[in-house]
Each structure stands twice: as C-alpha cells, then as structure tokens.
Amino acid sequence: MKRFICKSALTLGCKVAGVKAYIEDDIFTTHAHDFVEEPEFLGAYARGIKAAGPHYYFRWRVHVALWAAGVARRLPGDFVECGTNKGFVASAIMHTLDWNSCGKRFFLLDTWQGLDVATLSDEEKKAGFVENSQKWIKEGIYETDFEAVTKNFSEWKNVSLIKGTIPATLPQITSDQIAFLHLDLNCSPPEIAALEYLWPKLVPGAMVLHDDYGGFPLSKLGMDEIAGRLGVQFVTLPTGQGLMIKPPEAR
Ligand SMILES: C[S@@+](CC[C@H](N)C(=O)[O-])C[C@H]1O[C@@H](n2cnc3c(N)ncnc32)[C@H](O)[C@@H]1O
C-alpha cells in the first residue's frame, strides 16, 4: 500500500455540482460509491480498522479486495496474502466471507520485520526503500509484534501465519490449489517470485490482486514483465491496484 494514513481532504458526503463525490486515496470521482454505506461493507471495513488501528482511507481498495475474494470463494482452492502487516485487508475479507464457515485455508505471509534488504533491487535500494521501511517500523506502521498479529487472527480457524522472508517461505504454503492471491509487499522482486512460484497452483479463474500496481512504478514494471512471460495482463484500477484473472486455459 502506497500510503498508510492518507487523510481524506474532502470526505464522503461532499457534493460536486450537486452530486455526491468520493475523494480519498488519490481518487476523485462522482461515480456511484454507495458501497461505502452498505452495512456489510461497513462491518468488514470496521474489522480491518480493528486489526490495523487507524483508518487508512482505503475504502475503494477494500471494496475491490472484497469483491475479488467473494468471486474466489466460489472457486476451489485456498487464499494467500503476501504482505499482511497488521492484517487490515485480510481481516476485512475473513469477516465478509464468514471465514469459519468457508472451508478454505488462508496463508498469510510477512517478515513482520519490514522489507528485507536482501530481496530488493538496486533501484529500490537507491530509491530509499530500506530507510522507508525502517521509518515505518519505528512509527509502528509496519508491525513487528507477531503476538499481536496472532491475536488478531485468533477468531478464525484455518489461518496459517508464515513468518519470514518471501521467497524463502513460499514452500510453507501447503496448498496445491489457490483461488485468491493478494500481493502487497511494497517491493518488486519478492512479488515477482511469489507470482512465479504460485502460478501453477492458481486454479483456473483465480483472482490475483496486486495492491502496489499503480502506486509503485518499479513494482508495476516487475508485474508487467512476469505477466508478459505468463501470457496474461493486469488491468490497472484507479485505486492503484492491478487485477488479473488466471485464464481457464493457462497452465
Ligand atoms: C503494505 S504492507 C502490507 C499491508 C497489508 N496487506 C494490509 O492489509 O494492511 C507490506 C508488508 O510486506 C512485508 N514484506 C515486505 N517484503 C517482504 C518479504 N520479502 N517477505 C515477507 N514480507 C515482506 C512488510 O513487512 C509489510 O508488513
């Protein structure tokens, strides 16, 4: 996620030429966004905030993630998130899908130590990714309290918290069928490695949601390169996310 605490300059309910506007997380639109008032969405978003602490002002992103997760729920296979941090998005998803009745497993991967310098590209190092990560750890934005994360997810069964650096931890995902993959590492090489490693395990129609696609140019370059090699494409969403669906005929 590009910004953690992105204050909404004008919040919901604001009107432009008499029409309700959504102005948040680098989006300005008067298109329909009635989801922000739906009780189901409000419940899921509140559970995300309970996990994370502050309001991230990421409602449209969460709306997209909940939709993709809802589609993936109908597919065979488990869920994976690469980059969980405090569990904002994953908690919202599990709340919405009533995870304990879902019959799926959710594998949540993170160092819970911020970015691992060993996995960064030279360009990312030069661009200050290491310093940013250290700053976000100091500010409590990147979670290092693994017990707190464990406690957050303790209300749900079939959840595996896999602590350590991606790609080394990827073999700990003990599923051969994956329906939903959320990539949100804020750095490119381990995201590429994760998609490459998990690709054969993604079921036809699996949803791949890349949170960093529009917000991190180096991450977008990396995803486009691996997507090209796999013969697929991400769609750029105005939220900053990229979305890809594994084609039924792909292997
Ligand atoms: C933007 S945060 C994830 C946000 C999360 N999806 C949410 O819903 O709030 C990025 C996370 O990726 C983790 N991370 C970055 N590089 C990693 C790597 N190579 N292996 C594992 N975790 C990594 C960081 O520790 C951080 O918690």
Side-chain angles (χ1 to χ4, degrees):
M1 285 178 182
K2 187 174 154 203
R3 294 194 188 148
F4 283 91
I5 302 165
C6 173
K7 290 221 172 92
S8 183
L10 295 164
T11 48
L12 303 168
C14 160
K15 289 193 175 179
V16 175
V19 183
K20 266 191 191 174
Y22 179 102
I23 307 169
E24 182 168 298
D25 192 16
D26 292 349
I27 300 174
F28 166 78
T29 184
T30 55
H31 288 160
H33 52 277
D34 39 314
F35 63 85
V36 297
E37 282 163 7
E38 285 166 6
E40 229 182 86
F41 176 81
L42 287 170
Y45 201 82
R47 186 58 185 84
I49 291 176
K50 187 179 166 201
H55 191 322
Y56 286 174
Y57 296 100
F58 279 168
R59 278 172 268 215
W60 212 306
R61 275 178 209 251
V62 172
H63 173 57
V64 171
L66 296 179
W67 172 81
V71 174
R73 189 197 172 153
R74 295 189 205 107
L75 300 171
D78 298 310
F79 281 33
V80 174
E81 183 180 58
C82 293
T84 295
N85 200 21
K86 296 168 195 272
F88 183 80
V89 172
S91 298
I93 289 174
M94 288 195 225
H95 177 92
T96 287
L97 298 188
D98 188 16
W99 195 253
N100 285 342
S101 68
C102 206
K104 293 183 181 295
R105 292 179 289 166
F106 210 140
F107 297 90
L108 301 169
L109 288 78
D110 205 296
T111 58
W112 286 292
Q113 291 293 325
L115 274 58
D116 183 335
V117 63
T119 67
L120 302 182
S121 67
D122 289 342
E123 278 163 297
E124 289 172 336
K125 283 185 226 164
K126 264 187 224 147
F129 280 38
V130 177
E131 292 75 14
N132 271 348
S133 174
Q134 286 162 352
K135 180 169 166 276
W136 285 344
I137 288 174
K138 248 190 220 151
E139 292 172 357
I141 292 168
Y142 275 164
E143 187 60 80
T144 56
D145 183 350
F146 185 61
E147 263 179 46
V149 178
T150 306
K151 189 164 172 237
N152 174 63
F153 287 106
S154 62
E155 73 172 89
W156 293 297
K157 58 185 185 183
N158 298 329
V159 178
S160 298
L161 301 180
I162 300 178
K163 184 172 175 2
T165 298
I166 296 168
T169 49
L170 292 169
Q172 292 178 45
I173 301 170
T174 55
S175 173
D176 286 330
Q177 282 203 307
I178 295 164
F180 177 84
L181 172 61
H182 189 213
L183 296 167
D184 189 7
L185 294 171
N186 286 6
C187 55
S188 182
E191 288 181 339
I192 296 173
L195 181 56
E196 198 153 35
Y197 178 87
L198 294 171
W199 183 252
K201 300 173 195 286
L202 292 173
V203 300
M207 309 298 286
V208 179
L209 184 62
H210 182 212
D211 190 76
D212 310 331
Y213 196 69
F216 287 79
L218 292 171
S219 297
K220 180 175 186 297
L221 274 177
M223 271 301 121
D224 286 343
E225 192 271 319
I226 170 81
R229 272 194 277 138
L230 296 170
V232 289
Q233 266 189 325
F234 279 83
V235 60
T236 309
L237 302 179
T239 52
Q241 294 156 305
L243 179 67
M244 187 256 284
I245 300 172
K246 186 174 184 183
E249 77 285 358
R251 283 165 190 273

